[in-house]
Amino acid sequence: MIDLALRLARGEFSLDVALQLPSRGVSAVFGPSGCGKTTLLRALAGLERADGHVIVGDEYWQDDRRGLFVPTHRRPIGYVIQEAALFPHLSVQGNLDYGLRRSGQAGSREALAQAVDLLGIGALMARGTATLSGGERQRVAIARALATQPRLLLMDEPLAALDAERKADILPYLERLHTTLAMPIVYVTHAMDEVARLADHLVLLREGRALAAGPTHELLSRADLPLARRDDAGVVIEARVEEHDDRYRMMRIGAAGASLWVGGSHAALGETVRAAVLARDVSVTREPAQQTSILNVLPVTLESLHADGGTVMLRLRVTATSSSASTSEAPVYLLARITHKSCDALALKAGDALWAQVKGVALMSAGG
Ligand SMILES: Nc1ncnc2c1ncn2[C@@H]1O[C@H](COP(=O)(O)OP(=O)(O)OP(=O)(O)O)[C@@H](O)[C@H]1O
């Protein structure tokens, strides 16, 4: 576990957070511009002097009660920023070698080889860094950070400087990091699609304070957080592949007795995948619709309604149908955004048993 409490003031802005982040997987720090994401990351790295403590596993990096503050260069961290600072006069190999020598930490040739393989940059080793695309530069920067075998990888908007195409190129590599590496990653972003694809744990930051923190799927399924007011509000569901329909190139995925058909058939039976369902793609009915083109119609219980400007956000708990559902699994939630008119026409109230019609399910990635 990473246990941190950090407080600092910079002019009008103050940071004051106390968080416990899991020691595996990606913890995303998400929030609007200026909310303190970079400041938090820099304080974790020891680049900003904040009051408080930082404990990573059993290592104390800062503990004010004992007057302990480990300087940045002695913290076993990898730090990847938006625009990688690579030496233009050195090749990719030269940059990686330099990074390894400079770190003075437990970096090793094997770790470097593994990182090169993981980031798929083997073919780029002899290239001058000036000839690399933005996405390739970031992959080199990430490999350089990993080669030092850090205890913690800090990433500050690593994809923000890339266009949509380059971003799509590099995301699969980040997903590989996420599933392959045991080391925790703290990942700063203001892009919801990156949160939905990569984050296991989520910290919502607002004006230097942690508004909420917890497993990504839990926070995304809450209708009371500012996330639910976004146009792209929706849930992510970690589910297992339960059936392939090769004729239509679709698969059925299941979690906690809820089952959904999604396009594509590349994941193997039994594999864990992550799927996203946007609130605007979910509607509700009192009776299951007959003869609908919508494949995914799920029995749900309406947990709560949240009026939000012109629309109403419904939080729905999927009622397990499959007999294989294990009772130990956390229930699956959906959000549905509907109009006030529809809400009144159906006379919806908390506790109602309804049917959710899911118009679109996006397969994000293989899960963790
Ligand atoms: N030295 C400083 N003096 C005064 N204010 C500062 C100083 N450094 C940072 N700030 C302010 O602290 C706040 C947090 O900045 P920070 O860069 O951490 O935000 P952020 O969430 O990473 O933003 P972005 O997404 O735009 O990168 C901002 O309002 C910034 O203007």
Side-chain angles (χ1 to χ4, degrees):
M1 189 170 65
I2 304 165
D3 185 355
L4 62 100
L6 293 164
R7 295 174 300 278
L8 66 75
R10 293 274 182 277
E12 298 277 281
F13 173 80
S14 69
L15 178 76
D16 187 352
V17 293
L19 292 167
Q20 276 157 3
L21 306 176
S23 55
R24 238 202 110 110
V26 175
S27 293
V29 179
F30 180 79
S33 183
C35 70
K37 303 183 295 294
T38 296
T39 307
L40 170 58
L41 212 62
R42 288 175 57 81
L44 255 176
L47 290 163
E48 299 279 345
R49 190 70 192 246
D51 294 334
H53 65 256
V54 177
I55 308 161
V56 178
D58 52 3
E59 285 180 19
Y60 281 70
W61 292 359
Q62 177 175 355
D63 185 8
D64 290 357
R65 285 162 302 191
R66 293 193 287 153
L68 176 81
F69 185 87
V70 178
T72 304
H73 68 274
R74 304 227 356 251
R75 297 187 186 194
I77 49 173
Y79 205 120
V80 177
I81 56 171
Q82 212 178 96
E83 306 227 27
L86 301 175
F87 290 113
H89 61 285
L90 292 179
S91 65
V92 169
Q93 178 84 59
N95 270 277
L96 293 174
D97 289 343
Y98 184 85
L100 206 54
R101 279 198 308 274
R102 259 303 292 277
S103 76
Q105 283 158 8
S108 73
R109 288 277 138 205
E110 295 93 280
L112 181 56
Q114 211 176 50
V116 167
D117 185 44
L118 202 56
L119 275 305
I121 56 171
L124 305 176
M125 296 304 267
R127 292 263 294 273
T129 53
T131 70
L132 300 178
S133 73
E136 288 166 345
R137 291 176 69 81
Q138 282 307 68
R139 277 153 59 195
V140 172
I142 297 167
R144 186 175 60 181
L146 289 180
T148 63
Q149 296 184 291
R151 287 285 306 266
L152 175 63
L153 182 59
L154 303 173
M155 304 182 96
D156 192 351
E157 308 227 26
L159 306 184
L162 305 178
D163 59 36
E165 218 170 302
R166 301 264 174 254
K167 190 167 150 168
D169 285 346
I170 198 170
L171 266 165
Y173 292 101
L174 293 184
E175 281 164 8
R176 276 173 78 187
L177 291 189
H178 160 255
T179 47
T180 316
L181 295 179
M183 101 188 44
I185 302 175
V186 180
Y187 187 102
V188 161
T189 182
H190 62 255
M192 180 45 79
D193 61 320
E194 292 168 35
V195 169
R197 283 184 72 150
L198 298 171
D200 304 295
H201 194 85
L202 182 57
V203 177
L204 290 186
L205 209 60
R206 280 287 179 290
E207 296 176 2
R209 307 291 184 275
L211 197 64
T216 305
H217 66 92
E218 270 180 42
L219 262 57
L220 292 186
S221 73
R222 277 175 55 179
D224 60 323
L225 294 173
L227 289 173
R229 292 198 282 277
R230 297 169 55 96
D231 188 46
D232 57 1
V235 299
V236 295
I237 300 167
E238 298 255 316
R240 278 178 313 278
V241 178
E242 293 183 336
E243 187 181 340
H244 280 154
D245 183 334
D246 293 330
R247 180 157 175 218
Y248 294 105
R249 296 181 59 76
M250 297 195 79
M251 356 184 244
R252 188 169 59 77
I253 59 172
S259 190
L260 291 164
W261 283 100
V262 296
S265 54
H266 54 280
L269 280 182
E271 198 176 324
T272 302
V273 293
R274 185 182 281 210
V277 179
L278 293 177
R280 60 170 184 248
D281 288 337
V282 180
S283 58
V284 292
T285 57
R286 286 231 174 253
E287 301 294 333
Q290 305 294 319
Q291 298 195 322
T292 168
S293 65
I294 294 177
L295 287 173
N296 294 313
V297 180
L298 304 169
V300 294
T301 304
L302 175 53
E303 287 228 328
S304 55
L305 303 86
H306 302 257
D308 163 29
T311 58
V312 181
M313 187 63 92
L314 309 178
R315 178 172 151 94
L316 309 165
R317 181 167 41 81
V318 178
T319 320
T321 47
S322 130
S323 53
S324 64
S326 133
T327 47
S328 63
E329 275 186 300
V332 171
Y333 289 92
L334 294 171
L335 293 179
R337 178 174 278 138
I338 63 169
T339 61
H340 283 282
K341 188 173 163 72
S342 305
C343 189
D344 290 345
L346 289 172
L348 296 178
K349 59 179 189 322
D352 283 354
L354 302 170
W355 295 86
Q357 306 195 121
V358 179
K359 200 168 163 206
V361 183
L363 206 56
M364 306 302 287
S365 62

